[in-house]
Amino acid sequence: MHITSAGRTDVGIIRSGNEDNFIVVPDRGIFVVADGMGGHAAGEVASEMAVRFVARELGSLKGLADDQVADRMRTAIRAANGAIFQRTLTEHDKRGMGTTVTALVLYSSRFLIGQVGDSRAYLYRDGKLVQLTKDHSYVQEQVDAGYLTPEQARSHPYSNVITRCVGANSDVMPDVYLGTVKPSDLFLLASDGLTGMLDDAQLAELLGGKRMPEEQVDELIGEANRHGGLDNITAIIVRVDAVDATGGRGSGGSGGSGGSGASDGGDGGQVTNPGGRSR
């Protein structure tokens, strides 16, 4: 598989610090976004630990079958969870910290996503944008139960409350999503600082055209800031340039920087909530 990728994180307009982090490892097909919570720099610590642990624990995926990659993803995210949770027990100023994790891996002609929290993964294919992940959030539960419409959920006062995160408890179970990759596919991983500012139609418009991923990342973050920049903003774009018949992977290049992270990432925030954690 031949890909081109870019990532960037930005503090936004309102926040004084950046608790988002991300990592891109194109040669291994690994991409992770994490949005931390906890305050007093703890959110930044949690999200940085998460992206590094997940990338390290995933290791090389060469030659693995789908179920093996899924097991590796679950193990990697649970390992990050255990390390972060242990730190909350031993360091007083880190109590209550945690983070979302959305991790994408590309291997052979397949993709697999591990998800905890409300950062998201999207696929832009043939001019259409599809959200691949489902938020672990209070408002998503209300939408699923039929109490809120997706439009109402976007502006709900508890829209920032998440019901599952990495590091809050001794264990966590990520959701896993699997699919087949096609040439020209465009994957977007984003923290809610982006998706809270731009709806799907706006995201799709910005992902269209023939621009390079680095330009698209910059445009997404710029638009999110123009729409208020209420939270830290992180985006990774991965473009699939070709899928080899042999299932091999080559990197067509990667780039991106800014905020408190670049290839290795940045930081997030938290508050108490009715049944979950808010950022």
Side-chain angles (χ1 to χ4, degrees):
M1 193 182 306
H2 296 266
I3 61 176
T4 306
S5 63
R8 183 180 155 206
T9 186
D10 187 88
V11 69
I13 302 299
I14 304 300
R15 299 289 181 92
S16 59
N18 190 345
E19 293 184 305
D20 287 1
N21 263 285
F22 74 95
I23 193 166
V24 296
V25 192
D27 60 331
R28 287 196 283 135
I30 296 171
F31 309 89
V32 189
V33 165
D35 177 356
M37 62 204 74
H40 305 294
E44 178 179 356
V45 170
S47 62
E48 183 177 10
M49 288 179 67
V51 299
R52 292 185 184 276
F53 261 84
V54 170
R56 185 184 71 197
E57 296 294 322
L58 281 170
S60 172
L61 304 173
K62 187 175 181 180
L64 297 186
D66 289 345
D67 58 345
Q68 294 173 307
V69 177
D71 286 345
R72 186 77 65 84
M73 177 66 77
R74 294 186 185 99
T75 298
I77 293 176
R78 293 173 76 182
N81 180 89
I84 294 167
F85 181 69
Q86 187 59 38
R87 195 159 174 182
T88 68
L89 300 179
T90 58
E91 298 182 34
H92 179 77
D93 62 338
K94 302 298 187 294
R95 289 180 185 174
M97 75 174 177
T99 183
T100 70
V101 168
T102 300
L104 166 70
V105 293
L106 300 175
Y107 59 101
S108 301
S109 59
R110 307 284 276 167
F111 73 82
L112 187 139
I113 296 162
Q115 165 85 3
V116 176
D118 66 350
S119 296
R120 294 178 180 176
Y122 292 85
L123 172 61
Y124 185 79
R125 174 184 285 176
D126 300 329
K128 296 180 180 179
L129 183 70
V130 176
Q131 183 178 331
L132 298 174
T133 55
K134 179 180 280 192
D135 296 349
H136 297 135
S137 68
Y138 171 78
V139 293
Q140 183 62 56
E141 290 181 353
Q142 298 303 295
V143 170
D144 291 345
Y147 298 130
L148 292 175
T149 66
E151 293 72 26
Q152 290 171 327
R154 285 185 61 83
S155 57
H156 195 278
Y158 293 148
S159 61
N160 64 333
V161 173
I162 62 174
T163 55
R164 197 184 307 180
C165 76
V166 173
N169 298 293
S170 59
D171 198 9
V172 72
M173 185 52 67
D175 290 340
V176 171
Y177 304 85
L178 178 70
T180 300
V181 176
K182 293 172 57 177
S184 300
D185 279 352
L186 205 66
F187 292 91
L188 168 66
L189 305 186
S191 66
D192 72 333
L194 179 69
T195 59
M197 294 293 98
L198 303 177
D199 62 25
D200 286 5
Q202 293 167 316
L203 293 174
E205 183 177 354
L206 290 166
L207 292 173
K210 299 295 183 182
R211 296 178 304 284
M212 294 292 288
E214 190 166 3
E215 296 175 85
Q216 292 173 312
V217 164
D218 288 344
E219 289 178 0
L220 287 167
I221 291 176
E223 279 301 304
N225 277 325
R226 277 190 282 276
H227 281 76
L230 300 180
D231 199 354
N232 308 144
I233 308 160
T234 301
I236 296 173
I237 291 178
V238 185
R239 187 182 70 197
V240 179
D241 299 318
V243 179
D244 297 336
T246 59
R249 183 192 301 110
S251 172
S254 66
S257 61
S260 22
S263 353
D264 288 297
D267 8 346
Q270 163 209 305
V271 185
T272 11
N273 61 66
R277 295 160 69 83
S278 74
R279 293 159 297 100

